[in-house]
Amino acid sequence: MNSTVVTFPHGHVNGRSTIVGAVPVGERHGLVTAETPFHPLDHTWPDQPADRGTIGGLTVVDCVTGALPGSGGEIALGSGIPVRRGSDGWRWLVVHVTDEPLPLGAEVDLVVDAGHRAALSAGHTACHLAALALNAALAGRWRKETAADGLGHPDFDQSAITSSRIVPYGSVDVYRLGKSLRKKGFTAEGLDPAQVAAEVNERLKGWVASGAPVRLDVPGPELTARRTWSCALPEGEASIPCGGTHVGSAAELGEVTVELALEEQALTMRTTVTP
C-alpha cells in the first residue's frame, strides 16, 4: 500500500478512487483509498477538524491520519502513531471511518461536504491573518531579538502558542505567557486585551478590504508534503507552513474580528469570520 495521494490542497471536494486497505477503528471500519479529496485530522498538530462527507455512499463519521511502517505490519491511527508527521520509513494514509464496511478493490466515489469545508477554510485563513495581526500589535513588547514572521514582526504566535483549534468560520488560539516566554524577552505587564484586540481588528479590516490573494504552495501529492500558506498583504507577502485548507483571497472572508481574554498566564484569541 502506497501513501495516499491527496487532492484537498487544490480545493477538490469530489473524487473517485479504489479502496486499497482497511483497518478496524473500534467497532467501525477505516477505509483507505489510493487517492482522496478528504482532509483528515492531523495527529501531530490537530488544529483543523476532519472533513465530512461520504465514501461509496456511506457517511464518513470521522477521517483520521494513518501510518504504516515501510517494513509492513499494522496501520497505526491518530494519537497511536508513534512518530511525527512525515517521518521517513513510513507510508502516510488518509483513513475514512464508516459504520459499514466496503470491499477491498471496490472503486468508489468520495464526496466532501463542500459547505463545511468552506467554513473551515475560512476559519483557517482568518486564523493565520489574525496571528500575523497579533504579532504586529504586540511587537513593542519584546525586549530581546526573536524570530520574525513573514512581515518582519517578532513572531509571538509561534513563540507562545500552545493550542489552535479551527472551527467553522473561526478559530480559538491559546498562548502561554509564562517564564519561558519572559526569558525570550516578552513582557506581558500591563497588557490590555481590549486595546490589543482593537489594534488587531483595525489591521484585519484593512487586509480584508485589500482583497489580498491567498495561495498554497504544494510540493507534492502526498499527505505529508510540506505545504506552505502564503498571502500577498499590503505590507508584503507572508508565508506560514500549513497542512490545512484555505480560501482563495482575504476578500472572501467578508469580515474578520478577534476577541482577546487574559487569564492567569494565558492569552486566548477567538477569531470570528462573518462572511
Side-chain angles (χ1 to χ4, degrees), residues 195-219:
Q195 181 180 355
V196 175
E199 185 175 340
V200 170
N201 286 333
E202 186 64 26
R203 192 176 297 266
L204 288 171
K205 183 178 180 180
W207 285 351
V208 171
S210 76
V214 173
R215 75 172 193 277
L216 274 181
D217 292 325
V218 184

Side-chain angles (χ1 to χ4, degrees), residues 126-127 129-130 201 204-205 208 250 253-258 271-274:
C127 177
L129 292 176
N201 286 333
L204 288 171
K205 183 178 180 180
V208 171
L253 299 176
E255 182 183 24
V256 182
T257 56
V258 306
T271 304
T272 301
V273 178
T274 306

Side-chain angles (χ1 to χ4, degrees), residues 8-9 37-43 45-52 62-65 112 116-125 127-128 164-168 170-171 216 227 242-247:
F8 64 79
F38 276 78
H39 178 281
L41 183 69
D42 188 278
H43 79 292
W45 186 250
D47 57 345
Q48 181 169 332
D51 278 332
R52 300 172 181 171
D62 199 3
C63 190
V64 300
T65 300
V112 172
H116 185 63
R117 162 76 70 78
L120 292 176
S121 296
H124 208 151
T125 298
C127 177
H128 287 340
S164 180
R165 178 68 171 173
I166 309 301
V167 297
S171 64
L216 274 181
R227 297 181 290 276
C242 182
T245 64
H246 293 276
V247 299

Side-chain angles (χ1 to χ4, degrees), residues 17-268:
S17 189
T18 303
I19 297 177
V20 294
V23 58
V25 185
E27 296 183 354
R28 289 171 165 163
H29 305 268
L31 305 175
V32 180
T33 51
E35 181 177 300
T36 184
F38 276 78
H39 178 281
L41 183 69
D42 188 278
H43 79 292
T44 300
W45 186 250
D47 57 345
Q48 181 169 332
D51 278 332
R52 300 172 181 171
T54 61
I55 177 173
L58 299 179
T59 298
V60 175
V61 298
D62 199 3
C63 190
V64 300
T65 300
L68 181 66
S71 56
E74 295 184 355
I75 299 173
L77 298 175
S79 60
I81 298 175
V83 294
R84 290 190 62 81
R85 170 190 174 97
S87 294
D88 291 339
W90 291 74
R91 285 164 282 178
W92 296 88
L93 311 171
V94 175
V95 181
H96 313 79
V97 183
T98 61
D99 286 327
E100 301 294 333
L102 289 170
L104 288 176
E107 191 171 344
V108 293
D109 290 316
L110 298 109
V111 182
V112 172
D113 182 330
H116 185 63
R117 162 76 70 78
L120 292 176
S121 296
H124 208 151
T125 298
C127 177
H128 287 340
L129 292 176
L132 291 167
L134 182 64
N135 288 347
L138 297 177
R141 291 186 163 272
W142 290 89
R143 301 293 178 260
K144 297 179 183 178
E145 286 192 15
T146 190
D149 65 19
L151 299 179
H153 300 122
D155 201 339
F156 171 84
D157 176 72
Q158 287 300 300
S159 297
I161 196 162
T162 59
S163 68
S164 180
R165 178 68 171 173
I166 309 301
V167 297
Y169 296 112
S171 64
V172 180
D173 296 275
V174 180
Y175 302 96
R176 184 168 296 281
L177 308 176
K179 183 184 296 184
S180 62
L181 193 64
R182 290 196 298 272
K183 285 184 177 179
K184 293 177 182 178
F186 184 85
T187 175
E189 185 177 351
L191 191 153
D192 182 344
Q195 181 180 355
V196 175
E199 185 175 340
V200 170
N201 286 333
E202 186 64 26
R203 192 176 297 266
L204 288 171
K205 183 178 180 180
W207 285 351
V208 171
S210 76
V214 173
R215 75 172 193 277
L216 274 181
D217 292 325
V218 184
E222 63 275 10
L223 176 62
T224 54
R226 296 184 180 276
R227 297 181 290 276
T228 303
W229 172 92
S230 295
C231 186
L233 295 165
E235 292 93 329
E237 182 164 301
S239 297
I240 297 174
C242 182
T245 64
H246 293 276
V247 299
S249 78
E252 295 180 39
L253 299 176
E255 182 183 24
V256 182
T257 56
V258 306
E259 295 180 352
L260 294 174
L262 189 59
E263 300 173 0
E264 296 182 359
Q265 292 189 325
L267 180 69
T268 299

